[in-house]
mmCIF file of all heavy atoms in Angstrom:
data_model
loop_
_atom_site.group_PDB
_atom_site.id
_atom_site.type_symbol
_atom_site.label_atom_id
_atom_site.label_comp_id
_atom_site.label_asym_id
_atom_site.label_seq_id
_atom_site.Cartn_x
_atom_site.Cartn_y
_atom_site.Cartn_z
ATOM 1 N N ALA A 40 91.619 -29.724 -228.278
ATOM 2 C CA ALA A 40 91.118 -29.437 -226.825
ATOM 3 C C ALA A 40 90.438 -28.183 -226.617
ATOM 4 O O ALA A 40 89.367 -28.065 -226.007
ATOM 5 C CB ALA A 40 92.319 -29.634 -225.934
ATOM 6 N N VAL A 41 90.966 -27.028 -227.264
ATOM 7 C CA VAL A 41 90.332 -25.710 -227.047
ATOM 8 C C VAL A 41 89.019 -25.743 -227.894
ATOM 9 O O VAL A 41 88.114 -25.118 -227.365
ATOM 10 C CB VAL A 41 91.315 -24.673 -227.760
ATOM 11 C CG1 VAL A 41 90.679 -23.392 -227.881
ATOM 12 C CG2 VAL A 41 92.548 -24.467 -226.956
ATOM 13 N N LEU A 42 88.840 -26.434 -229.003
ATOM 14 C CA LEU A 42 87.650 -26.458 -229.790
ATOM 15 C C LEU A 42 86.598 -27.099 -228.943
ATOM 16 O O LEU A 42 85.387 -26.792 -228.831
ATOM 17 C CB LEU A 42 87.801 -27.074 -231.057
ATOM 18 C CG LEU A 42 86.636 -27.113 -232.036
ATOM 19 C CD1 LEU A 42 86.137 -25.627 -232.196
ATOM 20 C CD2 LEU A 42 86.982 -27.711 -233.342
ATOM 21 N N VAL A 43 86.940 -28.158 -228.236
ATOM 22 C CA VAL A 43 85.956 -29.012 -227.335
ATOM 23 C C VAL A 43 85.492 -27.959 -226.370
ATOM 24 O O VAL A 43 84.177 -27.889 -226.036
ATOM 25 C CB VAL A 43 86.586 -30.115 -226.696
ATOM 26 C CG1 VAL A 43 85.716 -30.689 -225.515
ATOM 27 C CG2 VAL A 43 86.913 -31.243 -227.745
ATOM 28 N N LEU A 44 86.305 -27.196 -225.688
ATOM 29 C CA LEU A 44 85.868 -26.257 -224.572
ATOM 30 C C LEU A 44 84.999 -25.119 -225.210
ATOM 31 O O LEU A 44 84.070 -24.718 -224.558
ATOM 32 C CB LEU A 44 87.144 -25.719 -223.859
ATOM 33 C CG LEU A 44 88.009 -26.738 -223.156
ATOM 34 C CD1 LEU A 44 89.162 -25.918 -222.588
ATOM 35 C CD2 LEU A 44 87.218 -27.282 -222.101
ATOM 36 N N LEU A 45 85.314 -24.679 -226.380
ATOM 37 C CA LEU A 45 84.445 -23.762 -227.034
ATOM 38 C C LEU A 45 83.054 -24.202 -227.287
ATOM 39 O O LEU A 45 82.123 -23.575 -227.154
ATOM 40 C CB LEU A 45 85.071 -23.319 -228.310
ATOM 41 C CG LEU A 45 86.326 -22.352 -228.176
ATOM 42 C CD1 LEU A 45 87.042 -22.110 -229.511
ATOM 43 C CD2 LEU A 45 86.078 -21.067 -227.387
ATOM 44 N N ILE A 46 83.045 -25.461 -227.759
ATOM 45 C CA ILE A 46 81.762 -26.068 -228.044
ATOM 46 C C ILE A 46 80.965 -26.291 -226.727
ATOM 47 O O ILE A 46 79.621 -26.222 -226.650
ATOM 48 C CB ILE A 46 81.861 -27.404 -228.772
ATOM 49 C CG1 ILE A 46 82.341 -27.144 -230.243
ATOM 50 C CG2 ILE A 46 80.448 -28.200 -229.020
ATOM 51 C CD1 ILE A 46 82.566 -28.358 -231.052
ATOM 52 N N ASP A 47 81.664 -26.577 -225.657
ATOM 53 C CA ASP A 47 81.046 -26.637 -224.282
ATOM 54 C C ASP A 47 80.399 -25.373 -224.021
ATOM 55 O O ASP A 47 79.276 -25.367 -223.553
ATOM 56 C CB ASP A 47 82.093 -26.949 -223.235
ATOM 57 C CG ASP A 47 82.502 -28.376 -223.048
ATOM 58 O OD1 ASP A 47 81.608 -29.292 -223.362
ATOM 59 O OD2 ASP A 47 83.621 -28.650 -222.524
ATOM 60 N N GLY A 48 81.044 -24.306 -224.129
ATOM 61 C CA GLY A 48 80.425 -23.048 -223.931
ATOM 62 C C GLY A 48 79.167 -22.739 -224.842
ATOM 63 O O GLY A 48 78.176 -22.151 -224.410
ATOM 64 N N ALA A 49 79.382 -23.161 -226.225
ATOM 65 C CA ALA A 49 78.174 -22.888 -227.088
ATOM 66 C C ALA A 49 77.025 -23.804 -226.619
ATOM 67 O O ALA A 49 75.823 -23.303 -226.791
ATOM 68 C CB ALA A 49 78.697 -23.266 -228.470
ATOM 69 N N ASP A 50 77.303 -24.944 -226.063
ATOM 70 C CA ASP A 50 76.132 -25.818 -225.603
ATOM 71 C C ASP A 50 75.399 -25.294 -224.573
ATOM 72 O O ASP A 50 74.242 -25.586 -224.370
ATOM 73 C CB ASP A 50 76.785 -27.187 -225.236
ATOM 74 C CG ASP A 50 75.708 -28.172 -224.876
ATOM 75 O OD1 ASP A 50 74.956 -28.573 -225.829
ATOM 76 O OD2 ASP A 50 75.609 -28.662 -223.727
ATOM 77 N N ARG A 51 75.983 -24.331 -223.781
ATOM 78 C CA ARG A 51 75.335 -23.679 -222.629
ATOM 79 C C ARG A 51 74.630 -22.398 -222.882
ATOM 80 O O ARG A 51 73.886 -21.945 -222.171
ATOM 81 C CB ARG A 51 76.261 -23.470 -221.508
ATOM 82 C CG ARG A 51 77.005 -24.717 -221.001
ATOM 83 C CD ARG A 51 78.070 -24.360 -219.983
ATOM 84 N NE ARG A 51 78.824 -25.522 -219.453
ATOM 85 C CZ ARG A 51 79.789 -25.521 -218.559
ATOM 86 N NH1 ARG A 51 80.162 -24.389 -218.149
ATOM 87 N NH2 ARG A 51 80.377 -26.619 -218.200
ATOM 88 N N GLY A 52 74.841 -21.946 -224.087
ATOM 89 C CA GLY A 52 74.253 -20.666 -224.556
ATOM 90 C C GLY A 52 72.977 -20.839 -225.438
ATOM 91 O O GLY A 52 72.564 -21.993 -225.727
ATOM 92 N N PRO A 53 72.587 -19.698 -225.989
ATOM 93 C CA PRO A 53 71.334 -19.862 -226.994
ATOM 94 C C PRO A 53 71.778 -20.306 -228.286
ATOM 95 O O PRO A 53 73.131 -20.139 -228.675
ATOM 96 C CB PRO A 53 70.957 -18.320 -227.045
ATOM 97 C CG PRO A 53 72.132 -17.570 -226.756
ATOM 98 C CD PRO A 53 72.963 -18.303 -225.658
ATOM 99 N N HIS A 54 70.945 -21.042 -229.006
ATOM 100 C CA HIS A 54 71.383 -21.554 -230.367
ATOM 101 C C HIS A 54 72.624 -22.385 -230.293
ATOM 102 O O HIS A 54 73.566 -21.958 -231.024
ATOM 103 C CB HIS A 54 71.361 -20.438 -231.356
ATOM 104 C CG HIS A 54 70.304 -19.467 -231.382
ATOM 105 N ND1 HIS A 54 68.956 -19.910 -231.583
ATOM 106 C CD2 HIS A 54 70.166 -18.175 -231.023
ATOM 107 C CE1 HIS A 54 68.157 -18.707 -231.558
ATOM 108 N NE2 HIS A 54 68.898 -17.752 -231.050
ATOM 109 N N PRO A 55 72.713 -23.484 -229.537
ATOM 110 C CA PRO A 55 73.959 -24.156 -229.420
ATOM 111 C C PRO A 55 74.384 -24.816 -230.737
ATOM 112 O O PRO A 55 75.610 -24.795 -230.989
ATOM 113 C CB PRO A 55 73.621 -25.253 -228.370
ATOM 114 C CG PRO A 55 72.177 -25.360 -228.394
ATOM 115 C CD PRO A 55 71.698 -23.931 -228.717
ATOM 116 N N ILE A 56 73.567 -25.282 -231.486
ATOM 117 C CA ILE A 56 73.935 -26.022 -232.725
ATOM 118 C C ILE A 56 74.626 -24.933 -233.872
ATOM 119 O O ILE A 56 75.548 -25.154 -234.331
ATOM 120 C CB ILE A 56 72.714 -26.705 -233.468
ATOM 121 C CG1 ILE A 56 72.305 -27.833 -232.533
ATOM 122 C CG2 ILE A 56 73.143 -27.200 -234.840
ATOM 123 C CD1 ILE A 56 71.059 -28.525 -233.046
ATOM 124 N N ARG A 57 74.026 -23.747 -233.885
ATOM 125 C CA ARG A 57 74.365 -22.732 -234.663
ATOM 126 C C ARG A 57 75.749 -22.262 -234.264
ATOM 127 O O ARG A 57 76.693 -22.021 -235.069
ATOM 128 C CB ARG A 57 73.488 -21.545 -234.904
ATOM 129 C CG ARG A 57 73.748 -20.516 -235.795
ATOM 130 C CD ARG A 57 72.944 -19.244 -235.599
ATOM 131 N NE ARG A 57 71.473 -19.647 -235.718
ATOM 132 C CZ ARG A 57 70.548 -18.744 -235.348
ATOM 133 N NH1 ARG A 57 70.802 -17.459 -235.020
ATOM 134 N NH2 ARG A 57 69.245 -19.168 -235.341
ATOM 135 N N ALA A 58 75.866 -22.045 -232.966
ATOM 136 C CA ALA A 58 77.109 -21.524 -232.391
ATOM 137 C C ALA A 58 78.325 -22.401 -232.568
ATOM 138 O O ALA A 58 79.401 -22.114 -232.898
ATOM 139 C CB ALA A 58 76.891 -21.140 -230.872
ATOM 140 N N ALA A 59 77.972 -23.734 -232.291
ATOM 141 C CA ALA A 59 79.040 -24.857 -232.535
ATOM 142 C C ALA A 59 79.441 -24.955 -233.997
ATOM 143 O O ALA A 59 80.608 -25.210 -234.264
ATOM 144 C CB ALA A 59 78.439 -26.186 -232.043
#
Side-chain angles (χ1 to χ4, degrees):
V41 170
L42 184 55
V43 168
L44 296 178
L45 290 173
I46 296 180
D47 274 338
D50 184 61
R51 299 176 181 179
H54 310 296
I56 296 177
R57 185 191 309 171

